[in-house]
Amino acid sequence: PNTKVEVIKTMSGKHYATIGDQVLRMEVIKAHQEQSPELDNPVTVKKSKARIPAANHPWRGAIRKKYENGNKELAYAIMHG
């Protein structure tokens, strides 16, 4: 945090930085690109819709039996979406 850096611009347009006893050449880094030009176009992935099992599906039947005795409103909501 307390390191002193001196930036030097030469007459030829090059930049150097001095840190302590080191002299480092600075280069311009190209701006970030969202997609590399070397890659093909990205593949779009289709999102699948959530599938609700039919009312006569065994999974729904098991839940219905589980809640049938204790909570009739919840059993009705589960059976009828």
Side-chain angles (χ1 to χ4, degrees), residues 23-56:
V23 178
L24 305 170
R25 184 184 65 191
M26 298 172 64
E27 295 180 8
V28 176
I29 298 175
K30 295 181 181 180
H32 172 75
Q33 297 178 358
E34 287 196 26
Q35 181 179 352
S36 174
E38 298 148 2
L39 297 177
D40 293 335
N41 291 332
V43 177
T44 56
V45 178
K46 294 181 182 178
K47 291 187 177 183
S48 62
K49 293 171 41 177
R51 297 183 183 181
I52 300 173
N56 60 354

Side-chain angles (χ1 to χ4, degrees), residues 67-80:
Y67 291 104
E68 208 168 51
N69 295 333
N71 192 344
K72 297 211 181 254
E73 290 177 17
L74 182 59
Y76 180 81
I78 291 171
M79 289 301 294
H80 298 290

